[in-house]
């Protein structure tokens, strides 16, 4: 069992689920499991709406097995994620949101490691948040290439988001988490996940309003 798939050949949604599988298999191993049943994997993850065995097949897992060696699954996922480096990420935009994300320790549970942030403001360049450095954007290309980083997180205002995204692409970034409200125009091979906090709050507010009105 060996992961020989590339980042481009793995579906976008599957790629986001792989770190969860790795954490699950590691947890099973810590509890003493040497063998992991395919049925248990499906029971754990299929309620989320996807077939985890299909996801694992994308990175080289054998198809149709009833059991897997825990070590084989862990090595497979470690090998793929390490080779493609789908865990390390950088932030562009070290304002309030960017610094909040830097300070948050919970990303590790999902296999994401934010290594640094970048900004153009002298007031924040050189500062550290949660032990992570904020650099000038001029240093971003060198760091991303040196550390083989492929994930970028945009936390700049919408008016600057396209410029930030274009810069990330020039730095070799292949996947972008976009916290701005801008509709980014990027090459087709770049994976983009939009996180519109304002829109989510608006939907939440409307749902709450509807519930209150229906209870009256």
């Amino acid at each position: 069992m060996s992961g020989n798939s590339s980042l481009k050949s793995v579906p976008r949604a599957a790629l986001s689920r792989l770190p969860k599988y790795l954490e699950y298999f590691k947890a099973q191993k810590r509890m003493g499991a040497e063998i992991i049943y395919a049925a248990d994997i499906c029971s754990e993850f299929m309620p989320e709406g996807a077939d985890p065995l299909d996801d694992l097949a994308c990175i080289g897992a054998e198809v149709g097995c009833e059991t897997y060696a825990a070590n084989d699954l862990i090595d497979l996922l470690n090998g793929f994620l390490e080779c493609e480096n789908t865990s390390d990420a950088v932030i562009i935009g070290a304002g309030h949101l960017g610094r909040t994300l830097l300070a948050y320790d919970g990303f590790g549970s999902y296999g994401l490691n934010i290594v640094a942030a970048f900004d153009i403001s002298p007031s924040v360049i050189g500062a550290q948040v949660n032990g992570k450095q904020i650099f000038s954007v001029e240093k971003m290309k060198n760091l991303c290439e040196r550390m083989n980083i492929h994930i970028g997180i945009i936390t700049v205002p919408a008016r600057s988001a396209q410029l930030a995204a274009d810069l990330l692409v020039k730095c070799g970034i292949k996947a972008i988490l976009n916290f701005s409200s801008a509709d980014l125009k990027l090459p087709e091979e770049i994976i983009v996940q939009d996180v519109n906090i304002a829109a989510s709050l608006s939907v939440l507010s409307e749902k709450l309003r509807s519930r209150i009105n229906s209870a009256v």
Side-chain angles (χ1 to χ4, degrees), residues 39-214:
D40 290 341
I41 299 173
C42 291
S43 177
E44 178 72 20
F45 292 105
M46 283 191 75
E48 297 183 10
D51 188 335
L53 301 182
D54 286 347
D55 290 348
L56 293 171
C58 287
I59 62 169
E62 294 181 29
V63 178
C65 296
E66 293 185 2
T67 62
Y68 296 91
N71 284 337
D72 285 351
L73 289 173
I74 291 170
D75 290 345
L76 177 69
L77 282 158
N78 272 333
F80 176 82
L81 294 173
E82 182 177 333
C83 175
E84 299 291 359
N85 193 2
T86 60
S87 59
D88 288 344
V90 295
I91 291 174
I92 182 166
H96 293 302
L97 178 56
R99 294 197 301 273
T100 297
L101 295 179
L102 274 181
Y104 180 57
D105 289 323
F107 290 118
S109 299
Y110 297 92
L112 184 67
N113 176 40
I114 298 176
V115 300
F118 297 87
D119 206 283
I120 61 173
S121 173
S123 65
V124 296
I125 293 172
Q128 283 195 358
V129 178
N130 198 19
K132 297 170 183 179
Q133 190 81 23
I134 300 173
F135 297 99
S136 166
V137 291
E138 297 173 354
K139 297 185 177 182
M140 186 163 64
K141 191 173 193 297
N142 178 268
L143 184 143
C144 289
E145 291 179 349
R146 178 166 49 85
M147 297 185 67
N148 194 34
I149 293 173
H150 297 317
I151 299 177
I153 302 173
I154 293 178
T155 55
V156 300
R159 64 180 179 276
S160 304
Q162 185 64 56
L163 183 62
D166 292 341
L167 181 57
L168 287 171
V169 173
K170 289 180 181 178
C171 293
I173 294 299
K174 298 178 180 179
I176 293 175
L177 185 63
N178 176 31
F179 276 90
S180 81
S181 58
D183 183 15
L184 302 177
K185 308 299 182 185
L186 294 169
E188 185 177 343
E189 65 270 18
I190 303 299
I191 299 170
V192 179
Q193 180 69 46
D194 294 316
V195 182
N196 193 321
I197 297 175
S200 297
L201 284 173
S202 176
V203 171
L204 186 66
S205 176
E206 181 58 34
K207 288 182 177 179
L208 176 61
R209 187 179 301 110
S210 297
R211 178 166 297 185
I212 291 173
N213 289 340
S214 64

